[in-house]
Amino acid sequence: METTDNTLKEMQQQMQLLKDKLAKQTIVNEQIMRNAIAKGLKSIRTKAAIPYFAGLAAILCCPSFYNLGCSLGFLIYSELMIVFCLGATWYTNCQIPKMDEDLLTAAGHLTRFKKIHAEWLKIGIPLLMVWLGWLIMDLFRSVDMSGAEVYALMAGIGVGLIIGLAAGLKGRRGLKGGAPELG
């Protein structure tokens, strides 16, 4: 009978030791996940700051379009579009999770950020297409250019579109892989 009691006590001690080890293992795994997520989020926050600088530069450069012969309506549209885009970028970036939250809440915020970021293209691309069309229309309407100048302008716009598209796609790919998926 005593042997059975000792065996039972020994099994209970081993079970408690195993529970303690598993509890420590869970904490280590959670800490590793937090560190990995924090690293990915730092990269996302760094990339998310770029549009603010680009928007500020665009706001400062907009008046120079007036010197090229663009209409006042185009300049007002440009300024309002940039301010709207900066506001939307700020709202989107507010959805980037903070790591002082529990992992489930952070995962929810990260999912919401990615969804809003993806949905933004449905608004941003049409705004950009209207802006670009208006710019081309204003430039061709108001500026007396020779054939070579028209081709040079179109080549510059085309190269700018290609570079912007490549940068945008690279940035989107970086945001998709920037933080590990949670769930």
Side-chain angles (χ1 to χ4, degrees), residues 69-150:
C70 291
S71 65
L72 187 59
F74 173 76
L75 294 176
I76 292 170
Y77 175 79
S78 298
E79 295 286 343
L80 290 176
M81 182 188 73
I82 293 168
V83 169
F84 173 75
C85 291
L86 287 174
T89 301
W90 174 81
Y91 174 76
T92 302
N93 291 344
C94 285
Q95 304 304 317
I96 298 174
K98 315 277 188 288
M99 283 316 298
D100 56 351
E101 304 169 329
D102 63 283
L103 289 178
L104 192 58
T105 305
H109 281 278
L110 185 59
T111 302
R112 182 172 167 85
F113 166 75
K114 287 182 176 185
K115 182 180 179 193
I116 291 171
H117 187 73
E119 292 293 319
W120 169 243
L121 288 179
K122 293 177 182 175
I123 299 168
I125 289 177
L127 284 174
L128 183 61
M129 296 306 291
V130 168
W131 182 85
L132 189 60
W134 197 345
L135 172 66
I136 291 171
M137 183 183 71
D138 268 3
L139 289 178
F140 284 122
R141 181 183 46 82
S142 64
V143 178
D144 186 30
M145 292 187 276
S146 67
E149 291 170 333
V150 170

Side-chain angles (χ1 to χ4, degrees), residues 132 135-136 139-140 151-163:
L132 189 60
L135 172 66
I136 291 171
L139 289 178
F140 284 122
Y151 289 125
L153 177 64
M154 294 304 288
I157 290 172
V159 168
L161 280 173
I162 291 170
I163 291 172

Side-chain angles (χ1 to χ4, degrees), residues 27-49:
I27 291 170
V28 169
N29 286 340
E30 184 175 335
Q31 189 61 38
I32 289 170
M33 284 180 60
R34 280 188 180 279
N35 290 344
I37 292 169
K39 182 179 176 184
L41 291 177
K42 183 179 179 187
S43 171
I44 288 174
R45 281 191 188 94
T46 302
K47 291 175 185 174

